[in-house]
Amino acid sequence: MRPAAEREIERKYALLMEQSVPSLAGTVIEGALNSYRLVAVYYDTPDQRLRADRLAIRRRTGGRDDGWHLKAPGQDPDHRLELQLPIDPDAPGLIPEEFWDEISERIGDQPLVPMATLRTFRQERDLLGADHSVLARLCIDEVRSEASGHTDHWREAELELDAGQLSLLDELEAIFAAAGIVRATDVAKIARALAGTSPAAGPQ
């Protein structure tokens, strides 16, 4: 099976634990709020070769896009490429062979092992245009991560472009900035989750 490929354009913002996100109703129509509980297990080599190349492989359940995801960097920090494949119900922990084809040259003979588990409570709403087409999506995430005995807990907001123009993200970001909400230091959740860990030493 060929992976489904999606190009993502998104921006992440740091939130304090009790910080509210301002209304965006003056710029877009805010759709209904939906809630999800996501569980994502991230895989890497013991010496974190995927992390070094800004790649991530995860198996995530609980949301709109349950499945295996391979994320790769795009042309700038706002852009990402994501490949998606379904989870095999008979072998849910088996990384799809198609993903190995994408990364084998990078990792050599190193195994892929679970590196971190992220549990996220997500509140999500579509941001609509005047014709009710989905222009973008707002996600507010509360994340708890576990990685090599290191735990973390944080909140963040994410704006993901759908049918809207890139300039829409600039408009929404200006509203966030006026409310004191700034870009997150880590573009990817897994980067923060692994920030307190050290890669295992490779062969000497």
Side-chain angles (χ1 to χ4, degrees):
M1 178 185 297
R2 292 182 60 83
E6 290 190 3
R7 295 192 180 275
E8 299 179 336
I9 303 176
E10 62 184 27
R11 297 178 183 178
K12 291 182 184 290
Y13 302 86
L15 293 175
L16 301 176
M17 292 308 296
E18 302 300 329
Q19 189 172 17
S20 298
V21 172
S23 171
L24 305 175
T27 304
V28 292
I29 298 171
E30 296 183 324
L33 188 66
N34 296 296
S35 297
Y36 304 96
R37 293 193 179 275
L38 312 174
V39 179
V41 179
Y42 284 79
Y43 292 76
D44 204 340
T45 62
D47 56 0
Q48 298 184 20
R49 296 186 184 185
L50 296 184
R51 176 188 179 189
D53 282 345
R54 297 169 55 214
L55 298 171
I57 288 179
R58 74 183 179 204
R59 183 184 74 246
R60 191 169 75 181
T61 58
R64 296 180 301 103
D65 58 350
D66 286 9
W68 286 97
H69 305 148
L70 170 57
K71 287 180 169 282
Q75 63 197 52
D76 57 46
D78 290 347
H79 290 72
R80 301 278 284 176
L81 174 65
E82 180 175 292
L83 302 181
Q84 300 180 0
L85 282 168
I87 298 170
D88 183 346
D90 296 323
L94 185 64
I95 297 171
E97 181 179 341
E98 293 86 349
F99 283 5
W100 289 99
D101 294 341
E102 297 287 338
I103 63 169
S104 59
E105 291 186 5
R106 299 173 184 267
I107 68 173
D109 59 358
Q110 290 295 300
L112 288 178
V113 296
M115 296 296 294
T117 299
L118 276 64
R119 293 177 171 83
T120 301
F121 175 62
R122 168 167 289 183
Q123 295 179 291
E124 177 182 292
R125 69 168 79 243
D126 290 340
L127 305 177
L128 313 174
D131 61 354
H132 287 265
S133 62
V134 179
L135 301 180
R137 186 167 289 108
L138 168 65
C139 299
I140 301 172
D141 292 340
E142 182 174 350
V143 186
R144 296 178 186 270
S145 67
E146 303 171 19
S148 302
H150 172 77
T151 62
D152 203 352
H153 179 203
W154 73 93
R155 289 178 73 236
E156 65 182 36
E158 177 182 298
L159 289 170
E160 181 177 353
L161 199 64
D162 196 303
Q165 299 297 313
L166 189 59
S167 58
L168 175 62
L169 293 186
D170 294 333
E171 293 181 57
L172 300 177
E173 183 167 297
I175 297 172
F176 277 14
I181 298 173
V182 299
R183 294 271 195 116
T185 303
D186 296 308
V187 174
K189 289 180 175 65
I190 187 59
R192 173 157 180 170
L194 293 178
T197 70
S198 298
Q204 302 296 316

PDB file of all heavy atoms in Angstrom, residues 3 10 15 22 36 51 61 75 79 81 97 110 121-123 132 134 137 143 154-155 158 162 189 203:
ATOM      1  N   PRO A   3       1.696   4.986   0.953  1.00  0.00           N
ATOM      2  CA  PRO A   3       1.235   5.897   2.002  1.00  0.00           C
ATOM      3  C   PRO A   3       0.498   7.093   1.418  1.00  0.00           C
ATOM      4  O   PRO A   3       0.827   7.575   0.335  1.00  0.00           O
ATOM      5  CB  PRO A   3       2.547   6.342   2.673  1.00  0.00           C
ATOM      6  CG  PRO A   3       3.580   5.353   2.247  1.00  0.00           C
ATOM      7  CD  PRO A   3       3.161   4.861   0.905  1.00  0.00           C
ATOM      8  N   GLU A  10       1.363  24.606   9.244  1.00  0.00           N
ATOM      9  CA  GLU A  10       0.843  24.829  10.581  1.00  0.00           C
ATOM     10  C   GLU A  10       1.841  25.629  11.422  1.00  0.00           C
ATOM     11  O   GLU A  10       3.036  25.663  11.122  1.00  0.00           O
ATOM     12  CB  GLU A  10       0.528  23.505  11.280  1.00  0.00           C
ATOM     13  CG  GLU A  10       1.736  22.612  11.472  1.00  0.00           C
ATOM     14  CD  GLU A  10       1.376  21.269  12.091  1.00  0.00           C
ATOM     15  OE1 GLU A  10       0.240  20.819  11.907  1.00  0.00           O
ATOM     16  OE2 GLU A  10       2.248  20.672  12.743  1.00  0.00           O
ATOM     17  N   LEU A  15       1.287  27.985  25.357  1.00  0.00           N
ATOM     18  CA  LEU A  15       0.220  28.448  26.230  1.00  0.00           C
ATOM     19  C   LEU A  15       0.587  28.150  27.677  1.00  0.00           C
ATOM     20  O   LEU A  15       1.137  27.086  27.979  1.00  0.00           O
ATOM     21  CB  LEU A  15      -1.108  27.743  25.915  1.00  0.00           C
ATOM     22  CG  LEU A  15      -1.778  28.029  24.569  1.00  0.00           C
ATOM     23  CD1 LEU A  15      -3.004  27.139  24.424  1.00  0.00           C
ATOM     24  CD2 LEU A  15      -2.162  29.488  24.454  1.00  0.00           C
ATOM     25  N   PRO A  22      -7.818  33.695  22.518  1.00  0.00           N
ATOM     26  CA  PRO A  22      -8.806  34.728  22.191  1.00  0.00           C
ATOM     27  C   PRO A  22      -9.765  34.273  21.100  1.00  0.00           C
ATOM     28  O   PRO A  22      -9.468  33.374  20.313  1.00  0.00           O
ATOM     29  CB  PRO A  22      -7.937  35.893  21.711  1.00  0.00           C
ATOM     30  CG  PRO A  22      -6.696  35.252  21.194  1.00  0.00           C
ATOM     31  CD  PRO A  22      -6.449  34.080  22.098  1.00  0.00           C
ATOM     32  N   TYR A  36     -10.817  15.333  21.792  1.00  0.00           N
ATOM     33  CA  TYR A  36     -10.227  14.019  21.541  1.00  0.00           C
ATOM     34  C   TYR A  36      -9.188  13.728  22.620  1.00  0.00           C
ATOM     35  O   TYR A  36      -8.568  14.646  23.164  1.00  0.00           O
ATOM     36  CB  TYR A  36      -9.534  13.976  20.174  1.00  0.00           C
ATOM     37  CG  TYR A  36     -10.413  14.336  19.003  1.00  0.00           C
ATOM     38  CD1 TYR A  36     -10.414  15.634  18.489  1.00  0.00           C
ATOM     39  CD2 TYR A  36     -11.231  13.380  18.407  1.00  0.00           C
ATOM     40  CE1 TYR A  36     -11.221  15.966  17.414  1.00  0.00           C
ATOM     41  CE2 TYR A  36     -12.035  13.708  17.332  1.00  0.00           C
ATOM     42  CZ  TYR A  36     -12.031  15.007  16.832  1.00  0.00           C
ATOM     43  OH  TYR A  36     -12.818  15.343  15.774  1.00  0.00           O
ATOM     44  N   ARG A  51      15.495  11.815  14.960  1.00  0.00           N
ATOM     45  CA  ARG A  51      15.429  13.129  15.607  1.00  0.00           C
ATOM     46  C   ARG A  51      16.494  14.056  15.045  1.00  0.00           C
ATOM     47  O   ARG A  51      16.228  15.236  14.779  1.00  0.00           O
ATOM     48  CB  ARG A  51      15.602  12.961  17.112  1.00  0.00           C
ATOM     49  CG  ARG A  51      15.638  14.273  17.901  1.00  0.00           C
ATOM     50  CD  ARG A  51      16.010  14.001  19.340  1.00  0.00           C
ATOM     51  NE  ARG A  51      16.086  15.217  20.142  1.00  0.00           N
ATOM     52  CZ  ARG A  51      16.549  15.257  21.379  1.00  0.00           C
ATOM     53  NH1 ARG A  51      16.969  14.143  21.974  1.00  0.00           N
ATOM     54  NH2 ARG A  51      16.592  16.399  22.042  1.00  0.00           N
ATOM     55  N   THR A  61      -3.494   7.098  18.077  1.00  0.00           N
ATOM     56  CA  THR A  61      -4.899   6.702  18.116  1.00  0.00           C
ATOM     57  C   THR A  61      -5.694   7.748  18.890  1.00  0.00           C
ATOM     58  O   THR A  61      -5.147   8.519  19.677  1.00  0.00           O
ATOM     59  CB  THR A  61      -5.073   5.330  18.797  1.00  0.00           C
ATOM     60  OG1 THR A  61      -4.526   5.385  20.129  1.00  0.00           O
ATOM     61  CG2 THR A  61      -4.366   4.235  18.010  1.00  0.00           C
ATOM     62  N   GLN A  75       9.741  23.121   3.433  1.00  0.00           N
ATOM     63  CA  GLN A  75      10.619  24.178   2.938  1.00  0.00           C
ATOM     64  C   GLN A  75      10.966  25.213   4.005  1.00  0.00           C
ATOM     65  O   GLN A  75      11.931  25.960   3.866  1.00  0.00           O
ATOM     66  CB  GLN A  75       9.942  24.876   1.750  1.00  0.00           C
ATOM     67  CG  GLN A  75       8.632  25.582   2.126  1.00  0.00           C
ATOM     68  CD  GLN A  75       7.771  25.913   0.927  1.00  0.00           C
ATOM     69  OE1 GLN A  75       7.489  25.035   0.106  1.00  0.00           O
ATOM     70  NE2 GLN A  75       7.359  27.161   0.816  1.00  0.00           N
ATOM     71  N   HIS A  79       6.023  24.457   7.213  1.00  0.00           N
ATOM     72  CA  HIS A  79       5.628  23.394   6.294  1.00  0.00           C
ATOM     73  C   HIS A  79       6.167  22.042   6.757  1.00  0.00           C
ATOM     74  O   HIS A  79       7.317  21.942   7.196  1.00  0.00           O
ATOM     75  CB  HIS A  79       6.152  23.672   4.880  1.00  0.00           C
ATOM     76  CG  HIS A  79       5.481  24.814   4.190  1.00  0.00           C
ATOM     77  ND1 HIS A  79       5.692  26.125   4.542  1.00  0.00           N
ATOM     78  CD2 HIS A  79       4.585  24.837   3.167  1.00  0.00           C
ATOM     79  CE1 HIS A  79       4.967  26.916   3.762  1.00  0.00           C
ATOM     80  NE2 HIS A  79       4.294  26.159   2.927  1.00  0.00           N
ATOM     81  N   LEU A  81       5.801  17.604   5.677  1.00  0.00           N
ATOM     82  CA  LEU A  81       5.264  16.538   4.838  1.00  0.00           C
ATOM     83  C   LEU A  81       4.930  15.360   5.740  1.00  0.00           C
ATOM     84  O   LEU A  81       5.765  14.952   6.555  1.00  0.00           O
ATOM     85  CB  LEU A  81       6.282  16.113   3.775  1.00  0.00           C
ATOM     86  CG  LEU A  81       5.881  14.897   2.914  1.00  0.00           C
ATOM     87  CD1 LEU A  81       4.656  15.221   2.069  1.00  0.00           C
ATOM     88  CD2 LEU A  81       7.040  14.451   2.030  1.00  0.00           C
ATOM     89  N   GLU A  97       6.122  -1.509   6.510  1.00  0.00           N
ATOM     90  CA  GLU A  97       7.296  -1.725   5.667  1.00  0.00           C
ATOM     91  C   GLU A  97       7.570  -0.523   4.782  1.00  0.00           C
ATOM     92  O   GLU A  97       8.727  -0.192   4.503  1.00  0.00           O
ATOM     93  CB  GLU A  97       7.064  -2.971   4.799  1.00  0.00           C
ATOM     94  CG  GLU A  97       8.223  -3.317   3.885  1.00  0.00           C
ATOM     95  CD  GLU A  97       7.948  -4.578   3.079  1.00  0.00           C
ATOM     96  OE1 GLU A  97       7.061  -5.364   3.455  1.00  0.00           O
ATOM     97  OE2 GLU A  97       8.643  -4.767   2.056  1.00  0.00           O
ATOM     98  N   GLN A 110      20.354  -0.049  12.346  1.00  0.00           N
ATOM     99  CA  GLN A 110      19.840   0.249  13.682  1.00  0.00           C
ATOM    100  C   GLN A 110      18.355  -0.108  13.778  1.00  0.00           C
ATOM    101  O   GLN A 110      17.598   0.094  12.831  1.00  0.00           O
ATOM    102  CB  GLN A 110      20.026   1.731  14.005  1.00  0.00           C
ATOM    103  CG  GLN A 110      21.471   2.149  14.216  1.00  0.00           C
ATOM    104  CD  GLN A 110      22.060   1.491  15.446  1.00  0.00           C
ATOM    105  OE1 GLN A 110      21.569   1.668  16.549  1.00  0.00           O
ATOM    106  NE2 GLN A 110      23.111   0.714  15.234  1.00  0.00           N
ATOM    107  N   PHE A 121      -4.852  15.742  25.463  1.00  0.00           N
ATOM    108  CA  PHE A 121      -6.263  16.110  25.437  1.00  0.00           C
ATOM    109  C   PHE A 121      -6.395  17.270  24.471  1.00  0.00           C
ATOM    110  O   PHE A 121      -5.840  18.351  24.700  1.00  0.00           O
ATOM    111  CB  PHE A 121      -6.775  16.507  26.825  1.00  0.00           C
ATOM    112  CG  PHE A 121      -8.194  17.008  26.812  1.00  0.00           C
ATOM    113  CD1 PHE A 121      -9.225  16.169  26.409  1.00  0.00           C
ATOM    114  CD2 PHE A 121      -8.494  18.307  27.171  1.00  0.00           C
ATOM    115  CE1 PHE A 121     -10.539  16.621  26.381  1.00  0.00           C
ATOM    116  CE2 PHE A 121      -9.808  18.767  27.151  1.00  0.00           C
ATOM    117  CZ  PHE A 121     -10.827  17.918  26.755  1.00  0.00           C
ATOM    118  N   ARG A 122      -7.079  17.041  23.376  1.00  0.00           N
ATOM    119  CA  ARG A 122      -7.174  18.032  22.287  1.00  0.00           C
ATOM    120  C   ARG A 122      -8.579  18.592  22.194  1.00  0.00           C
ATOM    121  O   ARG A 122      -9.557  17.841  22.155  1.00  0.00           O
ATOM    122  CB  ARG A 122      -6.763  17.407  20.967  1.00  0.00           C
ATOM    123  CG  ARG A 122      -7.100  18.240  19.740  1.00  0.00           C
ATOM    124  CD  ARG A 122      -6.401  17.736  18.495  1.00  0.00           C
ATOM    125  NE  ARG A 122      -4.963  18.024  18.571  1.00  0.00           N
ATOM    126  CZ  ARG A 122      -4.100  17.745  17.597  1.00  0.00           C
ATOM    127  NH1 ARG A 122      -4.519  17.148  16.490  1.00  0.00           N
ATOM    128  NH2 ARG A 122      -2.825  18.054  17.733  1.00  0.00           N
ATOM    129  N   GLN A 123      -8.661  19.921  22.138  1.00  0.00           N
ATOM    130  CA  GLN A 123      -9.902  20.614  21.804  1.00  0.00           C
ATOM    131  C   GLN A 123      -9.692  21.262  20.436  1.00  0.00           C
ATOM    132  O   GLN A 123      -8.742  22.027  20.252  1.00  0.00           O
ATOM    133  CB  GLN A 123     -10.242  21.652  22.862  1.00  0.00           C
ATOM    134  CG  GLN A 123     -10.541  21.037  24.224  1.00  0.00           C
ATOM    135  CD  GLN A 123     -10.856  22.087  25.256  1.00  0.00           C
ATOM    136  OE1 GLN A 123      -9.993  22.861  25.665  1.00  0.00           O
ATOM    137  NE2 GLN A 123     -12.105  22.132  25.689  1.00  0.00           N
ATOM    138  N   HIS A 132     -18.693  28.962   4.538  1.00  0.00           N
ATOM    139  CA  HIS A 132     -18.601  27.815   5.454  1.00  0.00           C
ATOM    140  C   HIS A 132     -17.624  26.741   4.970  1.00  0.00           C
ATOM    141  O   HIS A 132     -17.672  25.599   5.453  1.00  0.00           O
ATOM    142  CB  HIS A 132     -19.979  27.220   5.749  1.00  0.00           C
ATOM    143  CG  HIS A 132     -20.801  28.094   6.651  1.00  0.00           C
ATOM    144  ND1 HIS A 132     -20.856  27.923   8.010  1.00  0.00           N
ATOM    145  CD2 HIS A 132     -21.564  29.180   6.388  1.00  0.00           C
ATOM    146  CE1 HIS A 132     -21.633  28.835   8.550  1.00  0.00           C
ATOM    147  NE2 HIS A 132     -22.067  29.632   7.586  1.00  0.00           N
ATOM    148  N   VAL A 134     -13.890  25.153   5.093  1.00  0.00           N
ATOM    149  CA  VAL A 134     -12.902  25.089   6.171  1.00  0.00           C
ATOM    150  C   VAL A 134     -11.605  25.753   5.686  1.00  0.00           C
ATOM    151  O   VAL A 134     -10.941  25.251   4.780  1.00  0.00           O
ATOM    152  CB  VAL A 134     -12.630  23.641   6.602  1.00  0.00           C
ATOM    153  CG1 VAL A 134     -11.580  23.610   7.714  1.00  0.00           C
ATOM    154  CG2 VAL A 134     -13.913  22.970   7.077  1.00  0.00           C
ATOM    155  N   ARG A 137      -7.744  25.220  10.915  1.00  0.00           N
ATOM    156  CA  ARG A 137      -8.216  24.456  12.075  1.00  0.00           C
ATOM    157  C   ARG A 137      -7.410  24.913  13.285  1.00  0.00           C
ATOM    158  O   ARG A 137      -6.193  25.088  13.217  1.00  0.00           O
ATOM    159  CB  ARG A 137      -8.029  22.964  11.818  1.00  0.00           C
ATOM    160  CG  ARG A 137      -8.607  22.052  12.863  1.00  0.00           C
ATOM    161  CD  ARG A 137      -8.644  20.622  12.366  1.00  0.00           C
ATOM    162  NE  ARG A 137      -9.655  20.450  11.316  1.00  0.00           N
ATOM    163  CZ  ARG A 137      -9.368  20.261  10.036  1.00  0.00           C
ATOM    164  NH1 ARG A 137      -8.122  20.216   9.620  1.00  0.00           N
ATOM    165  NH2 ARG A 137     -10.339  20.117   9.154  1.00  0.00           N
ATOM    166  N   VAL A 143      -0.693  18.373  26.878  1.00  0.00           N
ATOM    167  CA  VAL A 143       0.148  17.222  26.557  1.00  0.00           C
ATOM    168  C   VAL A 143       0.885  16.737  27.800  1.00  0.00           C
ATOM    169  O   VAL A 143       1.426  17.536  28.565  1.00  0.00           O
ATOM    170  CB  VAL A 143       1.193  17.593  25.473  1.00  0.00           C
ATOM    171  CG1 VAL A 143       1.963  16.352  25.024  1.00  0.00           C
ATOM    172  CG2 VAL A 143       0.530  18.280  24.283  1.00  0.00           C
ATOM    173  N   TRP A 154       2.565  20.176  29.359  1.00  0.00           N
ATOM    174  CA  TRP A 154       2.463  21.527  28.825  1.00  0.00           C
ATOM    175  C   TRP A 154       1.196  21.683  27.997  1.00  0.00           C
ATOM    176  O   TRP A 154       0.519  20.717  27.680  1.00  0.00           O
ATOM    177  CB  TRP A 154       3.700  21.867  27.990  1.00  0.00           C
ATOM    178  CG  TRP A 154       3.800  21.192  26.656  1.00  0.00           C
ATOM    179  CD1 TRP A 154       3.369  21.666  25.451  1.00  0.00           C
ATOM    180  CD2 TRP A 154       4.403  19.912  26.371  1.00  0.00           C
ATOM    181  NE1 TRP A 154       3.660  20.781  24.441  1.00  0.00           N
ATOM    182  CE2 TRP A 154       4.291  19.694  24.968  1.00  0.00           C
ATOM    183  CE3 TRP A 154       5.019  18.931  27.157  1.00  0.00           C
ATOM    184  CZ2 TRP A 154       4.771  18.547  24.356  1.00  0.00           C
ATOM    185  CZ3 TRP A 154       5.492  17.773  26.541  1.00  0.00           C
ATOM    186  CH2 TRP A 154       5.361  17.602  25.164  1.00  0.00           C
ATOM    187  N   ARG A 155       0.907  22.928  27.641  1.00  0.00           N
ATOM    188  CA  ARG A 155      -0.207  23.248  26.754  1.00  0.00           C
ATOM    189  C   ARG A 155       0.325  24.026  25.556  1.00  0.00           C
ATOM    190  O   ARG A 155       1.304  24.775  25.674  1.00  0.00           O
ATOM    191  CB  ARG A 155      -1.274  24.091  27.457  1.00  0.00           C
ATOM    192  CG  ARG A 155      -2.074  23.345  28.501  1.00  0.00           C
ATOM    193  CD  ARG A 155      -3.073  24.260  29.182  1.00  0.00           C
ATOM    194  NE  ARG A 155      -4.204  24.593  28.308  1.00  0.00           N
ATOM    195  CZ  ARG A 155      -4.581  25.832  27.990  1.00  0.00           C
ATOM    196  NH1 ARG A 155      -3.916  26.880  28.449  1.00  0.00           N
ATOM    197  NH2 ARG A 155      -5.626  26.044  27.223  1.00  0.00           N
ATOM    198  N   GLU A 158      -2.341  25.193  18.164  1.00  0.00           N
ATOM    199  CA  GLU A 158      -1.854  24.929  16.817  1.00  0.00           C
ATOM    200  C   GLU A 158      -2.854  25.478  15.815  1.00  0.00           C
ATOM    201  O   GLU A 158      -4.063  25.256  15.941  1.00  0.00           O
ATOM    202  CB  GLU A 158      -1.689  23.421  16.638  1.00  0.00           C
ATOM    203  CG  GLU A 158      -1.253  22.969  15.264  1.00  0.00           C
ATOM    204  CD  GLU A 158      -1.176  21.458  15.186  1.00  0.00           C
ATOM    205  OE1 GLU A 158      -0.370  20.870  15.922  1.00  0.00           O
ATOM    206  OE2 GLU A 158      -1.943  20.866  14.393  1.00  0.00           O
ATOM    207  N   ASP A 162      -5.996  24.980   6.005  1.00  0.00           N
ATOM    208  CA  ASP A 162      -6.707  24.021   5.156  1.00  0.00           C
ATOM    209  C   ASP A 162      -6.860  24.649   3.772  1.00  0.00           C
ATOM    210  O   ASP A 162      -5.931  24.659   2.983  1.00  0.00           O
ATOM    211  CB  ASP A 162      -8.057  23.648   5.787  1.00  0.00           C
ATOM    212  CG  ASP A 162      -8.647  22.384   5.173  1.00  0.00           C
ATOM    213  OD1 ASP A 162      -8.835  22.360   3.948  1.00  0.00           O
ATOM    214  OD2 ASP A 162      -8.917  21.435   5.911  1.00  0.00           O
ATOM    215  N   LYS A 189       5.971  18.338  18.935  1.00  0.00           N
ATOM    216  CA  LYS A 189       5.811  17.878  20.312  1.00  0.00           C
ATOM    217  C   LYS A 189       6.927  16.935  20.724  1.00  0.00           C
ATOM    218  O   LYS A 189       7.424  16.970  21.850  1.00  0.00           O
ATOM    219  CB  LYS A 189       4.463  17.185  20.478  1.00  0.00           C
ATOM    220  CG  LYS A 189       3.248  18.105  20.424  1.00  0.00           C
ATOM    221  CD  LYS A 189       1.964  17.308  20.605  1.00  0.00           C
ATOM    222  CE  LYS A 189       0.729  18.208  20.668  1.00  0.00           C
ATOM    223  NZ  LYS A 189       0.485  18.919  19.397  1.00  0.00           N
ATOM    224  N   PRO A 203      27.934   2.606  18.360  1.00  0.00           N
ATOM    225  CA  PRO A 203      29.110   1.732  18.419  1.00  0.00           C
ATOM    226  C   PRO A 203      30.387   2.553  18.435  1.00  0.00           C
ATOM    227  O   PRO A 203      30.514   3.568  17.762  1.00  0.00           O
ATOM    228  CB  PRO A 203      28.986   0.892  17.143  1.00  0.00           C
ATOM    229  CG  PRO A 203      27.553   1.003  16.748  1.00  0.00           C
ATOM    230  CD  PRO A 203      27.095   2.346  17.186  1.00  0.00           C
TER     231      PRO A 203
END
